[in-house]
């Protein structure tokens, strides 16, 4: 540094050039906005602890913006002391989104207490109780929905939890005019759930995948008679009773005009050929998600379903006259009988064709196995001759 008036000036301290390097700056002297931003990264348990540091931090940590989304998935049971519970209880009444996803360290009593206080939140619009298993008591959930003070609940995710029909009925009775997204996959809901869901007014997305307690008749009635006109996305994954005829009847309903996405992955009765025909018939308005594959036995399953359709579907003559069964036939299937045709004769024709296809598939598999055995015998002979030459 050049000398001034023959004197060498002293070096300027770095703390003056950069105030952030000053050692006398304490955390409590930071602006409230900076402290608020720092506290926003804490989980609810640490946020409650920080509120007890001083009066200023208490007021900052009590800001409703910090408690708008309350995720208690990582809450520790040891830290669930009376002081923490009291603070959380007051925050539950102001939160708008509550999340409890597979908590590793909570008990059944903790979840029940949280739901009890959460029912008094008037601004709650999103509820996620996911992968709770035995931690969630269906009676406690029913009590929560029955006495809920929320008037704007729009999203509910109860995936893989202990949920039964009475809890869903209580929820729909209270929130059928506001609920837009509902995930009930992998739950124990029954037939009454679909009757209650059919009363929804603004429901946009419904997931009832892998719910084995729902009967075949209830699924058929929901798809063909009680389908809510507001649904846009419907997921029926692993619902093995779903038939292709039900889907055709569904898409012919005026109430299904808004349906845009249909997920039928894992529905074993639906073959690739049937789904392709269904997609082509309604390609302009519907996207079908599936995992069906092109297999040799596709026609066999088609004939089996066709025989089942002829033998079990009610009101057969009226349905065939209206050509409702034409699109459900498998490729190269016999023409559907008219209303005056002999049903037994048509069944015999279908059974004969099914038997021929099964014999054809079994013959192809046996010939392929014989070819493999011949190939192995050739390889053994060639190896033996090579050893003899050596």
């Amino acid at each position: 540094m050049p000398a001034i008036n023959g004197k060498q000036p002293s070096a300027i301290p770095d703390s003056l050039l950069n105030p952030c390097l000053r050692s006398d700056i304490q955390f409590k002297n930071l602006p409230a906005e900076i402290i608020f931003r720092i506290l926003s990264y804490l989980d609810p348990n640490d946020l409650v602890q920080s509120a007890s540091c001083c009066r200023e931090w208490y007021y900052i940590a009590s800001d409703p913006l910090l408690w708008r989304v309350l995720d208690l998935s990582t809450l520790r049971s040891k830290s669930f002391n009376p002081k923490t519970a009291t603070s959380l209880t007051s925050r539950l009444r102001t939160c708008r989104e509550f999340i409890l996803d597979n908590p590793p360290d909570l008990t059944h009593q903790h979840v029940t207490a949280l739901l009890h206080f959460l029912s008094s939140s008037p601004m709650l619009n999103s509820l996620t109780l996911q992968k709770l298993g035995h931690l969630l008591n269906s009676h406690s959930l029913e009590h929560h929905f029955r006495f809920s003070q929320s008037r704007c609940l729009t999203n509910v995710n109860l995936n893989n939890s202990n949920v039964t029909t009475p809890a869903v009925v209580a929820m729909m009775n209270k929130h059928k005019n506001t609920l837009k997204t509902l995930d009930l996959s992998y739950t124990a809901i029954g037939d009454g759930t679909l009757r209650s869901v059919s009363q929804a007014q603004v429901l946009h997305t419904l997931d009832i995948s892998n719910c084995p307690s729902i009967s075949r008749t209830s699924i058929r009635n929901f798809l063909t008679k009680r389908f809510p006109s507001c649904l846009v996305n419907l997921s029926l994954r692993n619902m093995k009773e779903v038939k292709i005829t039900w889907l055709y009847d569904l898409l012919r309903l005026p109430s299904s005009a808004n349906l845009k996405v249909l997920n039928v992955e894992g529905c074993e009765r639906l073959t690739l050929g049937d789904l392709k025909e269904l997609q082509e018939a309604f390609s302009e308005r519907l996207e079908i998600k599936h995992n069906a594959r092109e297999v040799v036995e596709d026609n066999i399953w088609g004939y089996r379903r066709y025989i089942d359709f002829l033998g079990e579907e009610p009101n057969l003559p009226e349905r065939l006259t209206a050509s409702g069964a034409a699109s459900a036939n498998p490729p190269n299937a016999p023409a559907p009988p008219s209303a005056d045709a002999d049903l037994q004769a048509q069944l015999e024709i279908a059974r004969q064709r099914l038997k021929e296809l099964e014999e054809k598939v079994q013959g192809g598999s046996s010939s392929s196995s014989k070819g493999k055995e011949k190939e192995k015998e050739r390889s053994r002979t060639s190896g033996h001759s090579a050893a003899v030459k050596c």
Side-chain angles (χ1 to χ4, degrees), residues 29 65 146 177 246 330:
N29 295 330
L65 293 177
R146 192 180 299 276
N177 295 324
W246 301 352

Side-chain angles (χ1 to χ4, degrees), residues 220-228 246-258 282 285:
R220 181 179 62 186
N221 291 338
F222 177 75
L223 294 177
T224 61
K225 298 178 181 180
R226 300 171 179 167
F227 194 78
W246 301 352
L247 299 184
Y248 274 98
D249 291 343
L250 166 64
L251 297 178
R252 291 192 186 102
L253 290 177
S255 58
S256 67
N258 293 324
F282 300 94
R285 48 166 286 196

Side-chain angles (χ1 to χ4, degrees), residues 115-287:
L115 286 177
H116 174 72
F117 293 111
L118 186 64
S119 60
S120 61
S121 175
M123 301 300 294
L124 183 67
N125 58 27
S126 180
L127 176 63
T128 299
L129 303 174
Q130 188 173 356
K131 299 179 182 179
L132 295 185
H134 66 282
L135 295 179
L136 178 62
N137 189 333
S138 184
H139 296 290
S140 301
L141 185 63
E142 179 184 358
H143 181 274
H144 164 77
F145 286 125
R146 192 180 299 276
F147 297 97
S148 174
Q149 298 181 11
S150 174
R151 296 296 180 267
C152 56
L153 186 63
T154 58
N155 304 311
V156 175
N157 185 354
L158 303 175
N159 171 30
N160 208 355
S161 296
N162 183 23
V163 181
T164 56
T165 297
V168 180
V169 172
M171 175 186 63
M172 295 305 302
N173 291 338
K174 196 79 171 183
H175 306 288
K176 63 181 179 181
N177 295 324
T178 59
L179 195 62
K180 295 182 178 180
T181 303
L182 178 59
D183 189 349
L184 297 173
S185 57
Y186 297 89
T187 59
I189 57 175
D191 297 345
T193 296
L194 295 184
R195 290 193 294 268
S196 179
V197 170
S198 62
Q199 303 174 2
Q201 302 297 320
V202 294
L203 188 61
H204 181 278
T205 302
L206 175 64
D207 191 345
I208 52 174
S209 303
N210 207 347
C211 296
S213 299
I214 302 179
S215 67
R216 173 181 177 180
T217 303
S218 181
I219 299 174
R220 181 179 62 186
N221 291 338
F222 177 75
L223 294 177
T224 61
K225 298 178 181 180
R226 300 171 179 167
F227 194 78
S229 59
C230 52
L231 265 186
V232 178
N233 298 309
L234 175 63
S235 180
L236 301 172
R237 290 176 292 114
N238 298 325
M239 301 295 284
K240 300 180 181 181
E241 299 295 336
V242 176
K243 293 185 176 182
I244 192 66
T245 54
W246 301 352
L247 299 184
Y248 274 98
D249 291 343
L250 166 64
L251 297 178
R252 291 192 186 102
L253 290 177
S255 58
S256 67
N258 293 324
L259 186 63
K260 303 299 182 184
V261 180
L262 178 63
N263 192 334
V264 290
E265 296 177 357
C267 297
E268 297 179 352
R269 289 176 175 261
L270 305 178
T271 61
L272 184 59
D274 290 335
L275 292 174
K276 284 184 177 179
E277 293 180 2
L278 183 66
Q279 182 68 75
E280 292 175 359
F282 300 94
S283 59
E284 297 181 356
R285 48 166 286 196
L286 182 67
E287 175 189 356

